[in-house]
Amino acid sequence: MNFLEKITGSDMTKEMKDFEARAKVLPGDYQTAWKEIVSNLWIHGDFTGRNLMPILDSALELLEVTSADGQSVEEVLGDDIKGFCTALVGDESAKNYRDKWRDQLNKNVARKLGGLK
């Protein structure tokens, strides 16, 4: 990845298009599960989302392998896709981007208020 790709995010755009192309060949229920996985994982991303690319790749590979084996989505992911995504990124207390921004804001406010004393 060169500097321009990193700044513009074009490398990630290409990777997401590749993921979507791979997902299109999955059965319909797997495609629906993929869309839910993507939407549930993005909240756990950093500012750019680069930290999620390997996780998304692994999740899609899991869907590809299990659909080829003839398993149903429910057998693989269970009924709780959001819980599955939380398990992929860590535990229930996994920080999402809102938590990171809130912590940063609190630190900035405390620093400013601390400077007023």
Side-chain angles (χ1 to χ4, degrees), residues 82-107:
K82 186 173 184 176
F84 172 79
C85 292
T86 302
L88 282 177
V89 295
D91 59 3
E92 284 293 327
S93 63
K95 286 192 162 196
N96 60 32
Y97 68 92
R98 288 182 207 103
D99 296 327
K100 292 175 188 176
W101 289 345
R102 185 179 301 115
D103 289 344
Q104 183 179 1
L105 177 63
N106 288 339
K107 286 177 187 174

Side-chain angles (χ1 to χ4, degrees), residues 8-92:
T8 62
S10 63
D11 60 318
M12 286 180 43
T13 302
K14 181 185 178 308
E15 199 166 354
M16 283 306 296
K17 285 182 182 179
D18 291 344
F19 289 160
E20 293 304 322
R22 287 170 51 193
K24 278 189 178 183
V25 299
L26 293 172
D29 54 343
Y30 276 87
Q31 289 180 25
T32 303
W34 168 248
K35 289 176 185 174
E36 284 186 54
I37 288 171
V38 170
S39 67
N40 282 304
L41 282 178
W42 277 116
I43 64 168
H44 296 286
D46 59 9
F47 181 71
T48 63
R50 288 186 197 288
N51 64 326
L52 293 180
M53 290 298 126
I55 297 171
L56 288 169
D57 186 39
S58 297
L60 183 56
E61 186 175 343
L62 174 70
L63 294 177
E64 290 170 335
V65 169
T66 55
S67 72
D69 287 345
Q71 294 179 327
S72 71
V73 173
E74 290 80 20
E75 289 176 306
V76 179
L77 304 177
D79 295 332
D80 184 18
I81 292 181
K82 186 173 184 176
F84 172 79
C85 292
T86 302
L88 282 177
V89 295
D91 59 3
E92 284 293 327

